[in-house]
mmCIF file of all heavy atoms in Angstrom:
data_model
loop_
_atom_site.group_PDB
_atom_site.id
_atom_site.type_symbol
_atom_site.label_atom_id
_atom_site.label_comp_id
_atom_site.label_asym_id
_atom_site.label_seq_id
_atom_site.Cartn_x
_atom_site.Cartn_y
_atom_site.Cartn_z
ATOM 1 N N ASP A 1 0.843 -1.220 0.013
ATOM 2 C CA ASP A 1 -0.017 -0.002 0.011
ATOM 3 C C ASP A 1 0.877 1.258 0.003
ATOM 4 O O ASP A 1 0.593 2.211 -0.726
ATOM 5 C CB ASP A 1 -0.924 0.005 1.235
ATOM 6 C CG ASP A 1 -1.993 -1.011 1.195
ATOM 7 O OD1 ASP A 1 -2.254 -1.596 0.128
ATOM 8 O OD2 ASP A 1 -2.619 -1.295 2.285
ATOM 9 N N TYR A 2 1.911 1.224 0.793
ATOM 10 C CA TYR A 2 2.825 2.383 0.882
ATOM 11 C C TYR A 2 3.498 2.639 -0.471
ATOM 12 O O TYR A 2 3.597 3.800 -0.909
ATOM 13 C CB TYR A 2 3.885 2.117 1.964
ATOM 14 C CG TYR A 2 4.993 3.159 1.969
ATOM 15 C CD1 TYR A 2 4.876 4.375 2.662
ATOM 16 C CD2 TYR A 2 6.147 2.941 1.247
ATOM 17 C CE1 TYR A 2 5.881 5.309 2.640
ATOM 18 C CE2 TYR A 2 7.192 3.876 1.247
ATOM 19 C CZ TYR A 2 7.025 5.039 1.935
ATOM 20 O OH TYR A 2 8.043 6.010 1.894
ATOM 21 N N ILE A 3 3.995 1.581 -1.113
ATOM 22 C CA ILE A 3 4.703 1.760 -2.395
ATOM 23 C C ILE A 3 3.767 2.358 -3.463
ATOM 24 O O ILE A 3 4.132 3.272 -4.175
ATOM 25 C CB ILE A 3 5.273 0.433 -2.866
ATOM 26 C CG1 ILE A 3 6.396 -0.038 -1.900
ATOM 27 C CG2 ILE A 3 5.869 0.568 -4.274
ATOM 28 C CD1 ILE A 3 7.583 0.886 -1.813
ATOM 29 N N PHE A 4 2.562 1.847 -3.550
ATOM 30 C CA PHE A 4 1.612 2.421 -4.507
ATOM 31 C C PHE A 4 1.294 3.865 -4.194
ATOM 32 O O PHE A 4 1.177 4.705 -5.061
ATOM 33 C CB PHE A 4 0.333 1.581 -4.580
ATOM 34 C CG PHE A 4 0.331 0.478 -5.599
ATOM 35 C CD1 PHE A 4 0.889 -0.766 -5.317
ATOM 36 C CD2 PHE A 4 -0.168 0.703 -6.880
ATOM 37 C CE1 PHE A 4 0.949 -1.766 -6.293
ATOM 38 C CE2 PHE A 4 -0.142 -0.305 -7.840
ATOM 39 C CZ PHE A 4 0.421 -1.535 -7.543
ATOM 40 N N THR A 5 1.154 4.189 -2.896
ATOM 41 C CA THR A 5 0.800 5.513 -2.486
ATOM 42 C C THR A 5 1.918 6.505 -2.784
ATOM 43 O O THR A 5 1.702 7.604 -3.332
ATOM 44 C CB THR A 5 0.459 5.540 -0.997
ATOM 45 O OG1 THR A 5 -0.646 4.658 -0.732
ATOM 46 C CG2 THR A 5 0.046 6.970 -0.565
ATOM 47 N N ILE A 6 3.154 6.143 -2.422
ATOM 48 C CA ILE A 6 4.288 7.052 -2.652
ATOM 49 C C ILE A 6 4.481 7.282 -4.155
ATOM 50 O O ILE A 6 4.831 8.345 -4.566
ATOM 51 C CB ILE A 6 5.557 6.550 -1.969
ATOM 52 C CG1 ILE A 6 6.659 7.610 -2.032
ATOM 53 C CG2 ILE A 6 6.068 5.267 -2.588
ATOM 54 C CD1 ILE A 6 6.370 8.866 -1.219
ATOM 55 N N THR A 7 4.216 6.257 -4.941
ATOM 56 C CA THR A 7 4.323 6.403 -6.407
ATOM 57 C C THR A 7 3.230 7.386 -6.923
ATOM 58 O O THR A 7 3.524 8.196 -7.800
ATOM 59 C CB THR A 7 4.209 5.089 -7.126
ATOM 60 O OG1 THR A 7 5.207 4.192 -6.621
ATOM 61 C CG2 THR A 7 4.384 5.243 -8.627
ATOM 62 N N ALA A 8 2.032 7.288 -6.381
ATOM 63 C CA ALA A 8 0.976 8.201 -6.793
ATOM 64 C C ALA A 8 1.285 9.652 -6.438
ATOM 65 O O ALA A 8 0.750 10.563 -7.032
ATOM 66 C CB ALA A 8 -0.326 7.793 -6.187
ATOM 67 N N LEU A 9 2.180 9.854 -5.460
ATOM 68 C CA LEU A 9 2.561 11.194 -4.999
ATOM 69 C C LEU A 9 3.963 11.597 -5.460
ATOM 70 O O LEU A 9 4.460 12.641 -5.019
ATOM 71 C CB LEU A 9 2.474 11.309 -3.504
ATOM 72 C CG LEU A 9 1.106 11.017 -2.874
ATOM 73 C CD1 LEU A 9 1.158 11.164 -1.387
ATOM 74 C CD2 LEU A 9 0.030 11.913 -3.456
ATOM 75 N N ASN A 10 4.598 10.800 -6.315
ATOM 76 C CA ASN A 10 5.991 11.075 -6.676
ATOM 77 C C ASN A 10 6.063 12.073 -7.822
ATOM 78 O O ASN A 10 6.488 11.795 -8.939
ATOM 79 C CB ASN A 10 6.641 9.752 -7.077
ATOM 80 C CG ASN A 10 8.164 9.907 -7.184
ATOM 81 O OD1 ASN A 10 8.711 11.009 -7.047
ATOM 82 N ND2 ASN A 10 8.861 8.829 -7.372
ATOM 83 N N PHE A 11 5.599 13.278 -7.540
ATOM 84 C CA PHE A 11 5.711 14.401 -8.484
ATOM 85 C C PHE A 11 5.610 15.690 -7.661
ATOM 86 O O PHE A 11 5.420 15.664 -6.449
ATOM 87 C CB PHE A 11 4.624 14.340 -9.553
ATOM 88 C CG PHE A 11 3.202 14.456 -9.052
ATOM 89 C CD1 PHE A 11 2.588 15.706 -8.941
ATOM 90 C CD2 PHE A 11 2.452 13.354 -8.659
ATOM 91 C CE1 PHE A 11 1.281 15.848 -8.482
ATOM 92 C CE2 PHE A 11 1.158 13.471 -8.214
ATOM 93 C CZ PHE A 11 0.581 14.707 -8.116
ATOM 94 N N GLY A 12 5.788 16.818 -8.317
ATOM 95 C CA GLY A 12 5.677 18.095 -7.611
ATOM 96 C C GLY A 12 6.987 18.831 -7.495
ATOM 97 O O GLY A 12 7.070 19.798 -6.747
ATOM 98 N N SER A 13 8.051 18.386 -8.166
ATOM 99 C CA SER A 13 9.337 19.060 -8.062
ATOM 100 C C SER A 13 9.228 20.493 -8.491
ATOM 101 O O SER A 13 10.000 21.362 -7.995
ATOM 102 C CB SER A 13 10.405 18.346 -8.904
ATOM 103 O OG SER A 13 10.048 18.321 -10.275
ATOM 104 N N GLY A 14 8.291 20.841 -9.378
ATOM 105 C CA GLY A 14 8.128 22.227 -9.794
ATOM 106 C C GLY A 14 7.631 23.109 -8.703
ATOM 107 O O GLY A 14 7.729 24.349 -8.802
ATOM 108 N N PHE A 15 7.070 22.514 -7.653
ATOM 109 C CA PHE A 15 6.578 23.252 -6.534
ATOM 110 C C PHE A 15 7.605 23.346 -5.412
ATOM 111 O O PHE A 15 7.316 23.866 -4.324
ATOM 112 C CB PHE A 15 5.297 22.611 -5.956
ATOM 113 C CG PHE A 15 4.095 22.693 -6.859
ATOM 114 C CD1 PHE A 15 3.843 21.694 -7.806
ATOM 115 C CD2 PHE A 15 3.237 23.783 -6.799
ATOM 116 C CE1 PHE A 15 2.725 21.762 -8.642
ATOM 117 C CE2 PHE A 15 2.112 23.861 -7.632
ATOM 118 C CZ PHE A 15 1.868 22.861 -8.546
ATOM 119 N N SER A 16 8.794 22.833 -5.645
ATOM 120 C CA SER A 16 9.822 22.737 -4.611
ATOM 121 C C SER A 16 10.075 24.054 -3.875
ATOM 122 O O SER A 16 10.135 24.073 -2.649
ATOM 123 C CB SER A 16 11.111 22.186 -5.189
ATOM 124 O OG SER A 16 12.097 22.030 -4.178
ATOM 125 N N PRO A 17 10.243 25.200 -4.573
ATOM 126 C CA PRO A 17 10.461 26.433 -3.818
ATOM 127 C C PRO A 17 9.329 26.768 -2.876
ATOM 128 O O PRO A 17 9.553 27.209 -1.730
ATOM 129 C CB PRO A 17 10.591 27.487 -4.945
ATOM 130 C CG PRO A 17 11.028 26.719 -6.141
ATOM 131 C CD PRO A 17 10.339 25.397 -6.023
ATOM 132 N N MET A 18 8.077 26.564 -3.317
ATOM 133 C CA MET A 18 6.917 26.810 -2.464
ATOM 134 C C MET A 18 6.877 25.793 -1.287
ATOM 135 O O MET A 18 6.548 26.195 -0.151
ATOM 136 C CB MET A 18 5.619 26.707 -3.275
ATOM 137 C CG MET A 18 5.505 27.704 -4.423
ATOM 138 S SD MET A 18 4.094 27.292 -5.518
ATOM 139 C CE MET A 18 2.740 27.386 -4.368
ATOM 140 N N TRP A 19 7.208 24.576 -1.581
ATOM 141 C CA TRP A 19 7.167 23.553 -0.562
ATOM 142 C C TRP A 19 8.181 23.839 0.557
ATOM 143 O O TRP A 19 7.854 23.759 1.744
ATOM 144 C CB TRP A 19 7.505 22.193 -1.215
ATOM 145 C CG TRP A 19 7.490 21.010 -0.264
ATOM 146 C CD1 TRP A 19 8.559 20.535 0.452
ATOM 147 C CD2 TRP A 19 6.431 20.164 0.046
ATOM 148 N NE1 TRP A 19 8.175 19.469 1.201
ATOM 149 C CE2 TRP A 19 6.858 19.206 0.973
ATOM 150 C CE3 TRP A 19 5.084 20.102 -0.404
ATOM 151 C CZ2 TRP A 19 6.053 18.186 1.451
ATOM 152 C CZ3 TRP A 19 4.260 19.103 0.116
ATOM 153 C CH2 TRP A 19 4.731 18.147 1.022
ATOM 154 N N LYS A 20 9.391 24.243 0.167
ATOM 155 C CA LYS A 20 10.420 24.485 1.160
ATOM 156 C C LYS A 20 10.135 25.706 2.016
ATOM 157 O O LYS A 20 10.527 25.774 3.164
ATOM 158 C CB LYS A 20 11.786 24.605 0.467
ATOM 159 C CG LYS A 20 12.269 23.269 -0.063
ATOM 160 C CD LYS A 20 13.636 23.369 -0.744
ATOM 161 C CE LYS A 20 14.084 21.987 -1.188
ATOM 162 N NZ LYS A 20 15.413 22.043 -1.906
ATOM 163 N N LEU A 21 9.379 26.681 1.468
ATOM 164 C CA LEU A 21 8.985 27.814 2.284
ATOM 165 C C LEU A 21 8.075 27.383 3.418
ATOM 166 O O LEU A 21 8.124 27.945 4.508
ATOM 167 C CB LEU A 21 8.275 28.839 1.398
ATOM 168 C CG LEU A 21 9.147 29.738 0.533
ATOM 169 C CD1 LEU A 21 8.283 30.643 -0.351
ATOM 170 C CD2 LEU A 21 10.051 30.614 1.394
ATOM 171 N N GLN A 22 7.267 26.362 3.159
ATOM 172 C CA GLN A 22 6.314 25.899 4.182
ATOM 173 C C GLN A 22 6.863 24.732 5.012
ATOM 174 O O GLN A 22 6.489 24.613 6.187
ATOM 175 C CB GLN A 22 4.992 25.463 3.501
ATOM 176 C CG GLN A 22 4.326 26.614 2.785
ATOM 177 C CD GLN A 22 2.897 26.327 2.442
ATOM 178 O OE1 GLN A 22 2.152 25.691 3.167
ATOM 179 N NE2 GLN A 22 2.426 26.830 1.249
ATOM 180 N N ARG A 23 7.697 23.900 4.393
ATOM 181 C CA ARG A 23 8.157 22.688 5.094
ATOM 182 C C ARG A 23 9.622 22.754 5.459
ATOM 183 O O ARG A 23 10.060 22.230 6.458
ATOM 184 C CB ARG A 23 7.899 21.455 4.240
ATOM 185 C CG ARG A 23 6.447 20.979 4.207
ATOM 186 C CD ARG A 23 5.988 20.446 5.572
ATOM 187 N NE ARG A 23 6.840 19.447 6.079
ATOM 188 C CZ ARG A 23 6.541 18.132 6.146
ATOM 189 N NH1 ARG A 23 5.372 17.720 5.694
ATOM 190 N NH2 ARG A 23 7.372 17.250 6.645
ATOM 191 N N GLY A 24 10.460 23.291 4.538
ATOM 192 C CA GLY A 24 11.875 23.339 4.764
ATOM 193 C C GLY A 24 12.450 21.920 4.775
ATOM 194 O O GLY A 24 11.854 20.935 4.432
ATOM 195 N N GLY A 25 13.738 21.832 5.177
ATOM 196 C CA GLY A 25 14.356 20.520 5.390
ATOM 197 C C GLY A 25 14.680 19.800 4.074
ATOM 198 O O GLY A 25 15.168 20.395 3.145
ATOM 199 N N ASN A 26 14.360 18.503 4.038
ATOM 200 C CA ASN A 26 14.719 17.658 2.930
ATOM 201 C C ASN A 26 14.011 18.007 1.685
ATOM 202 O O ASN A 26 13.126 18.854 1.634
ATOM 203 C CB ASN A 26 14.436 16.172 3.284
ATOM 204 C CG ASN A 26 15.411 15.620 4.313
ATOM 205 O OD1 ASN A 26 16.590 15.997 4.303
ATOM 206 N ND2 ASN A 26 14.928 14.779 5.186
ATOM 207 N N SER A 27 14.340 17.289 0.598
ATOM 208 C CA SER A 27 13.659 17.460 -0.689
ATOM 209 C C SER A 27 12.200 17.164 -0.550
ATOM 210 O O SER A 27 11.740 16.520 0.405
ATOM 211 C CB SER A 27 14.283 16.517 -1.735
ATOM 212 O OG SER A 27 13.946 15.168 -1.433
ATOM 213 N N THR A 28 11.417 17.627 -1.532
ATOM 214 C CA THR A 28 9.983 17.385 -1.516
ATOM 215 C C THR A 28 9.699 15.874 -1.421
ATOM 216 O O THR A 28 8.870 15.452 -0.607
ATOM 217 C CB THR A 28 9.355 17.927 -2.830
ATOM 218 O OG1 THR A 28 9.695 19.298 -2.962
ATOM 219 C CG2 THR A 28 7.835 17.815 -2.786
ATOM 220 N N TYR A 29 10.381 15.090 -2.189
ATOM 221 C CA TYR A 29 10.136 13.638 -2.210
ATOM 222 C C TYR A 29 10.447 13.026 -0.843
ATOM 223 O O TYR A 29 9.657 12.206 -0.314
ATOM 224 C CB TYR A 29 10.969 12.954 -3.264
ATOM 225 C CG TYR A 29 10.783 11.435 -3.307
ATOM 226 C CD1 TYR A 29 9.641 10.891 -3.779
ATOM 227 C CD2 TYR A 29 11.802 10.621 -2.845
ATOM 228 C CE1 TYR A 29 9.423 9.502 -3.773
ATOM 229 C CE2 TYR A 29 11.614 9.246 -2.812
ATOM 230 C CZ TYR A 29 10.448 8.669 -3.299
ATOM 231 O OH TYR A 29 10.280 7.333 -3.318
ATOM 232 N N LYS A 30 11.561 13.401 -0.234
ATOM 233 C CA LYS A 30 11.927 12.801 1.052
ATOM 234 C C LYS A 30 10.915 13.212 2.159
ATOM 235 O O LYS A 30 10.598 12.435 3.026
ATOM 236 C CB LYS A 30 13.349 13.191 1.425
ATOM 237 C CG LYS A 30 14.401 12.466 0.610
ATOM 238 C CD LYS A 30 15.827 12.810 1.071
ATOM 239 C CE LYS A 30 16.884 12.076 0.252
ATOM 240 N NZ LYS A 30 18.248 12.458 0.675
ATOM 241 N N ASN A 31 10.468 14.474 2.077
ATOM 242 C CA ASN A 31 9.460 14.894 3.030
ATOM 243 C C ASN A 31 8.184 14.085 2.873
ATOM 244 O O ASN A 31 7.550 13.646 3.865
ATOM 245 C CB ASN A 31 9.143 16.375 2.803
ATOM 246 C CG ASN A 31 9.983 17.313 3.607
ATOM 247 O OD1 ASN A 31 10.055 18.500 3.333
ATOM 248 N ND2 ASN A 31 10.746 16.815 4.600
ATOM 249 N N ILE A 32 7.768 13.892 1.614
ATOM 250 C CA ILE A 32 6.522 13.168 1.320
ATOM 251 C C ILE A 32 6.665 11.712 1.822
ATOM 252 O O ILE A 32 5.783 11.159 2.526
ATOM 253 C CB ILE A 32 6.228 13.162 -0.191
ATOM 254 C CG1 ILE A 32 5.801 14.590 -0.585
ATOM 255 C CG2 ILE A 32 5.155 12.186 -0.543
ATOM 256 C CD1 ILE A 32 5.782 14.835 -2.099
ATOM 257 N N ALA A 33 7.824 11.081 1.540
ATOM 258 C CA ALA A 33 8.011 9.711 1.933
ATOM 259 C C ALA A 33 8.075 9.560 3.455
ATOM 260 O O ALA A 33 7.410 8.680 4.036
ATOM 261 C CB ALA A 33 9.341 9.163 1.294
ATOM 262 N N ALA A 34 8.817 10.410 4.107
ATOM 263 C CA ALA A 34 8.975 10.305 5.576
ATOM 264 C C ALA A 34 7.642 10.528 6.278
ATOM 265 O O ALA A 34 7.346 9.893 7.303
ATOM 266 C CB ALA A 34 10.018 11.300 6.063
ATOM 267 N N THR A 35 6.819 11.442 5.716
ATOM 268 C CA THR A 35 5.497 11.687 6.365
ATOM 269 C C THR A 35 4.592 10.471 6.210
ATOM 270 O O THR A 35 3.891 10.087 7.145
ATOM 271 C CB THR A 35 4.859 12.939 5.714
ATOM 272 O OG1 THR A 35 5.733 14.072 5.933
ATOM 273 C CG2 THR A 35 3.522 13.237 6.335
ATOM 274 N N LEU A 36 4.591 9.875 5.010
ATOM 275 C CA LEU A 36 3.783 8.676 4.802
ATOM 276 C C LEU A 36 4.267 7.517 5.681
ATOM 277 O O LEU A 36 3.498 6.717 6.183
ATOM 278 C CB LEU A 36 3.811 8.233 3.353
ATOM 279 C CG LEU A 36 3.024 9.111 2.355
ATOM 280 C CD1 LEU A 36 3.165 8.536 0.926
ATOM 281 C CD2 LEU A 36 1.544 9.180 2.741
ATOM 282 N N LYS A 37 5.596 7.452 5.854
ATOM 283 C CA LYS A 37 6.158 6.412 6.726
ATOM 284 C C LYS A 37 5.617 6.571 8.149
ATOM 285 O O LYS A 37 5.157 5.598 8.758
ATOM 286 C CB LYS A 37 7.701 6.511 6.702
ATOM 287 C CG LYS A 37 8.400 5.594 7.685
ATOM 288 C CD LYS A 37 9.913 5.825 7.629
ATOM 289 C CE LYS A 37 10.636 4.935 8.618
ATOM 290 N NZ LYS A 37 12.111 5.145 8.603
ATOM 291 N N ALA A 38 5.709 7.776 8.690
ATOM 292 C CA ALA A 38 5.215 8.031 10.038
ATOM 293 C C ALA A 38 3.737 7.744 10.160
ATOM 294 O O ALA A 38 3.240 7.203 11.168
ATOM 295 C CB ALA A 38 5.540 9.451 10.449
ATOM 296 N N TYR A 39 2.974 8.173 9.115
ATOM 297 C CA TYR A 39 1.541 7.945 9.105
ATOM 298 C C TYR A 39 1.199 6.436 9.181
ATOM 299 O O TYR A 39 0.299 6.011 9.904
ATOM 300 C CB TYR A 39 0.955 8.583 7.860
ATOM 301 C CG TYR A 39 -0.549 8.541 7.737
ATOM 302 C CD1 TYR A 39 -1.344 9.434 8.455
ATOM 303 C CD2 TYR A 39 -1.162 7.643 6.854
ATOM 304 C CE1 TYR A 39 -2.736 9.387 8.318
ATOM 305 C CE2 TYR A 39 -2.540 7.611 6.720
ATOM 306 C CZ TYR A 39 -3.332 8.486 7.456
ATOM 307 O OH TYR A 39 -4.687 8.460 7.324
ATOM 308 N N THR A 40 1.951 5.655 8.413
ATOM 309 C CA THR A 40 1.700 4.204 8.381
ATOM 310 C C THR A 40 2.163 3.561 9.679
ATOM 311 O O THR A 40 1.442 2.714 10.231
ATOM 312 C CB THR A 40 2.459 3.572 7.199
ATOM 313 O OG1 THR A 40 2.081 4.219 5.996
ATOM 314 C CG2 THR A 40 2.158 2.084 7.104
ATOM 315 N N GLU A 41 3.281 3.997 10.194
ATOM 316 C CA GLU A 41 3.809 3.405 11.448
ATOM 317 C C GLU A 41 2.879 3.708 12.622
ATOM 318 O O GLU A 41 2.863 2.986 13.619
ATOM 319 C CB GLU A 41 5.216 3.902 11.703
ATOM 320 C CG GLU A 41 6.250 3.288 10.740
ATOM 321 C CD GLU A 41 7.629 3.855 10.916
ATOM 322 O OE1 GLU A 41 7.737 4.964 11.545
ATOM 323 O OE2 GLU A 41 8.592 3.219 10.465
ATOM 324 N N ALA A 42 2.070 4.806 12.507
ATOM 325 C CA ALA A 42 1.143 5.128 13.544
ATOM 326 C C ALA A 42 -0.123 4.300 13.503
ATOM 327 O O ALA A 42 -1.052 4.479 14.306
ATOM 328 C CB ALA A 42 0.763 6.622 13.446
ATOM 329 N N GLY A 43 -0.196 3.359 12.528
ATOM 330 C CA GLY A 43 -1.338 2.437 12.434
ATOM 331 C C GLY A 43 -2.383 2.816 11.444
ATOM 332 O O GLY A 43 -3.430 2.179 11.358
ATOM 333 N N ASN A 44 -2.117 3.846 10.682
ATOM 334 C CA ASN A 44 -3.116 4.280 9.634
ATOM 335 C C ASN A 44 -2.940 3.477 8.373
ATOM 336 O O ASN A 44 -1.872 3.002 8.030
ATOM 337 C CB ASN A 44 -2.923 5.785 9.343
ATOM 338 C CG ASN A 44 -3.132 6.635 10.565
ATOM 339 O OD1 ASN A 44 -4.266 6.704 11.078
ATOM 340 N ND2 ASN A 44 -2.073 7.257 11.053
ATOM 341 N N SER A 45 -4.022 3.397 7.596
ATOM 342 C CA SER A 45 -4.005 2.601 6.364
ATOM 343 C C SER A 45 -3.792 3.522 5.128
ATOM 344 O O SER A 45 -4.321 4.626 5.073
ATOM 345 C CB SER A 45 -5.317 1.860 6.167
ATOM 346 O OG SER A 45 -5.374 1.209 4.941
ATOM 347 N N LEU A 46 -3.019 3.016 4.183
ATOM 348 C CA LEU A 46 -2.824 3.705 2.919
ATOM 349 C C LEU A 46 -3.373 2.819 1.782
ATOM 350 O O LEU A 46 -2.860 2.851 0.662
ATOM 351 C CB LEU A 46 -1.336 3.999 2.652
ATOM 352 C CG LEU A 46 -0.647 4.997 3.596
ATOM 353 C CD1 LEU A 46 0.836 5.083 3.240
ATOM 354 C CD2 LEU A 46 -1.310 6.367 3.475
ATOM 355 N N ASN A 47 -4.436 2.084 2.047
ATOM 356 C CA ASN A 47 -4.923 1.154 1.055
ATOM 357 C C ASN A 47 -5.690 1.914 -0.072
ATOM 358 O O ASN A 47 -5.841 3.106 -0.034
ATOM 359 C CB ASN A 47 -5.788 0.069 1.676
ATOM 360 C CG ASN A 47 -7.010 0.647 2.398
ATOM 361 O OD1 ASN A 47 -7.459 1.735 2.094
ATOM 362 N ND2 ASN A 47 -7.521 -0.115 3.335
ATOM 363 N N ALA A 48 -6.188 1.155 -1.024
ATOM 364 C CA ALA A 48 -6.836 1.764 -2.190
ATOM 365 C C ALA A 48 -8.124 2.488 -1.777
ATOM 366 O O ALA A 48 -8.466 3.504 -2.423
ATOM 367 C CB ALA A 48 -7.137 0.679 -3.237
#
């Protein structure tokens, strides 16, 4: 479920300057992946 979800969200590099203003830190992709990781580890579902 995680792999399909992260692939569905694996875009948005053109928004990187806007993203970093709000999130900072790692690249857009790493932020997206790490957030989904924490969400899943907290017991939430990323199913279809």
Side-chain angles (χ1 to χ4, degrees):
D1 291 344
Y2 170 86
I3 295 296
F4 268 86
T5 303
I6 190 65
T7 303
L9 300 181
N10 193 354
F11 63 91
S13 61
F15 292 91
S16 182
M18 298 169 60
W19 181 271
K20 289 181 178 179
L21 282 175
Q22 299 195 35
R23 284 293 306 253
N26 289 324
S27 69
T28 306
Y29 178 73
K30 288 183 178 179
N31 272 166
I32 291 167
T35 301
L36 288 180
K37 174 183 179 180
Y39 184 78
T40 304
E41 289 175 341
N44 299 293
S45 175
L46 293 176
N47 60 24

